[in-house]
Amino acid sequence: MAITQTRSGQVYDAIRAAILAGHFKPGQKLKPNELREQYGVSLSVVREALARLAEQRLVLSQPNRGFQVVPVSEKALRDLTDLRVMVESFALRRAIERGNVAWESEVVAAHHTLAVTPTDFDGSNEVWEEAHRRFHYALIDGCDMPVVLDLCSSLFDASRLYRRLTAPWVEGTRDIAAEHAQLMDAALARDVDVSLALLELHFRTTTKVLLTEFLHVEPDA
């Protein structure tokens, strides 16, 4: 049992990394038999890994239609953005209100790591992606609600699929580093209103780029 669980975890990690790196494209079919051969494991191990990825909103599982990478759509993007704004704003508010000196120190440290890591907007640089994840997680970690933090982590992964697609239009038009610095400063100043406004703007700016440039939809339509 332990060996099976370990293999399932390894396959889960491998497929997740491939999805987030863009090796498996949004909407692409994920065929268990092919993945079984690719990773050299049993079909049950692959299905278990895909089921976990479906729980994390990176894979779509439909009866009689199998598995596929979550497809890109206007509704899915809008829903994901709204959910991230709602859940992460709640977590950030609690973190600002309840976070202690240790929380402040972690936010500063995470921001410093992100600031000195070469910028990458397309999701292919795992070092930058990890620093980016750590910063956003540090901001809300002070909420001290594991269930909420787990949900935010899952939504962060789902948003990475979309963030990769903004790369052709973001670089040179958006100062991501400044957005992160402003978020940190507002949070450490314990300014809830400004922090939540900056966080929402940070998320919705990415959404606007995708709607207009990739999906060719008016963002306020």
Side-chain angles (χ1 to χ4, degrees):
M1 179 65 70
I3 294 177
T4 300
Q5 290 176 343
T6 299
R7 287 177 178 170
S8 176
Q10 291 172 343
V11 173
Y12 164 84
D13 289 340
I15 298 175
R16 175 181 174 276
I19 291 173
L20 295 180
H23 300 312
F24 294 132
K25 305 298 182 182
Q28 180 176 340
K29 293 286 187 181
L30 296 172
K31 300 178 180 179
N33 277 321
E34 292 181 1
L35 294 172
R36 174 182 63 80
E37 294 180 3
Q38 179 177 345
Y39 295 110
V41 295
S42 68
L43 195 58
S44 62
V45 166
V46 170
R47 290 189 177 279
E48 183 178 342
L50 291 174
R52 287 182 60 193
L53 288 163
E55 292 174 359
Q56 296 300 311
R57 301 174 180 82
L58 291 177
V59 167
L60 182 64
S61 174
Q62 295 179 306
N64 302 319
R65 298 182 64 181
F67 300 93
Q68 66 179 127
V69 180
V70 172
V72 172
S73 73
E74 177 190 352
K75 184 180 187 307
L77 175 57
R78 290 183 184 276
D79 289 349
L80 174 61
T81 303
D82 288 343
L83 187 56
R84 284 200 77 193
V85 169
M86 179 174 63
V87 176
E88 204 151 327
S89 292
F90 170 79
L92 182 57
R93 176 185 292 276
R94 282 180 60 100
I96 291 172
E97 293 173 347
R98 304 184 181 199
N100 54 21
V101 174
W103 168 73
E104 293 179 350
S105 298
E106 181 59 27
V107 170
V108 171
H111 178 263
H112 175 71
T113 299
L114 179 60
V116 300
T117 302
T119 306
D120 170 29
F121 302 118
D122 69 2
S124 63
N125 184 336
E126 290 296 330
V127 176
W128 187 86
E129 278 295 334
E130 182 56 33
H132 187 215
R133 170 188 285 277
R134 181 187 170 199
F135 171 69
H136 276 281
Y137 189 91
L139 279 172
I140 61 176
D141 192 30
C143 77
D144 194 27
M145 296 183 69
V147 173
V148 173
L149 292 171
D150 285 347
L151 177 56
C152 288
S153 181
S154 175
L155 295 173
F156 183 93
D157 279 351
S159 71
R160 182 174 169 184
L161 292 176
Y162 288 93
R163 192 168 63 253
R164 286 181 54 84
L165 301 176
T166 66
W169 304 287
V170 168
E171 194 163 8
T173 64
R174 183 178 176 190
D175 193 344
I176 301 289
E179 292 179 27
H180 289 143
Q182 291 166 0
L183 261 172
M184 178 190 68
D185 290 343
L188 295 180
R190 307 285 176 155
D191 192 326
V192 173
D193 291 339
V194 171
S195 296
L196 299 191
L198 288 172
L199 184 70
E200 180 168 2
L201 179 62
H202 187 62
F203 292 159
R204 294 198 185 280
T205 298
T206 299
T207 298
K208 181 178 179 180
V209 171
L210 271 168
L211 286 173
T212 56
E213 302 292 348
F214 186 77
L215 295 174
H216 307 295
V217 175
E218 288 297 325
D220 296 323

